[in-house]
Amino acid sequence: MKKLFVVAILLISFGIKELQAYNINDCLEETVVNHLNSKNLLTFIKENDLIGKIQKVCSEEVCSNLNMVTLEQDIKNFIKQHLNYLRVKDNENALEAELKGFKIEKIIFNSCE
């Protein structure tokens, strides 16, 4: 009985080690994008078939995770979060960014899929 218990623990430990071998952070790639604006972010994602591949979107100091199930809502939350960040810094820039959009500086996506 003790041998069976020890073997079971070893198998579980081995299984956990194998799960840790595949680390999502090893698959993340950061891409700097030019001419991408918060107003056309959703269109860019759909046109470039990036739905489900994007992990984060960043602009200046603000980064936000995107989930493919709630993509549109996550983008709205990211825009709102960035506008709040701008309001703290300068209200005029926040108003301009709300009307014209703001620059998306980088996209972090999963390249292993």
Side-chain angles (χ1 to χ4, degrees):
M1 188 67 167
K2 287 182 183 180
K3 289 181 183 177
L4 184 59
F5 182 73
V6 171
V7 170
I9 289 177
L10 288 174
L11 287 175
I12 291 172
S13 299
F14 181 75
I16 291 173
K17 282 279 193 195
E18 288 298 312
L19 287 175
Q20 290 175 346
Y22 175 72
N23 189 349
I24 190 78
N25 291 332
D26 294 338
C27 297
L28 294 181
E29 284 189 29
E30 183 176 303
T31 302
V32 177
V33 289
N34 295 323
H35 310 294
L36 182 59
N37 185 313
S38 62
K39 296 286 184 183
N40 61 4
L41 177 60
L42 184 60
T43 306
F44 175 81
I45 291 171
K46 288 180 179 178
E47 286 177 354
N48 291 298
D49 196 31
L50 296 174
I51 294 176
K53 296 177 185 172
I54 292 184
Q55 298 291 318
K56 285 187 180 183
V57 176
C58 300
S59 178
E60 288 186 33
E61 299 293 321
V62 179
C63 284
S64 183
N65 292 327
L66 297 182
N67 183 339
M68 73 175 190
V69 176
T70 57
L71 182 64
E72 290 182 33
Q73 186 61 43
D74 288 349
I75 290 174
K76 287 179 187 177
N77 290 339
F78 167 66
I79 292 171
K80 195 180 300 183
Q81 185 181 13
H82 185 76
L83 292 175
N84 288 338
Y85 168 77
L86 288 176
R87 282 187 190 101
V88 170
K89 288 178 71 176
D90 182 8
N91 202 31
E92 272 187 45
N93 285 341
L95 289 173
E96 184 177 336
E98 191 170 3
L99 293 174
K100 295 181 180 179
F102 54 88
K103 183 180 180 195
I104 305 297
E105 295 185 358
K106 64 183 173 181
I107 294 176
I108 300 171
F109 65 95
N110 184 355
S111 62
C112 289
E113 292 183 310

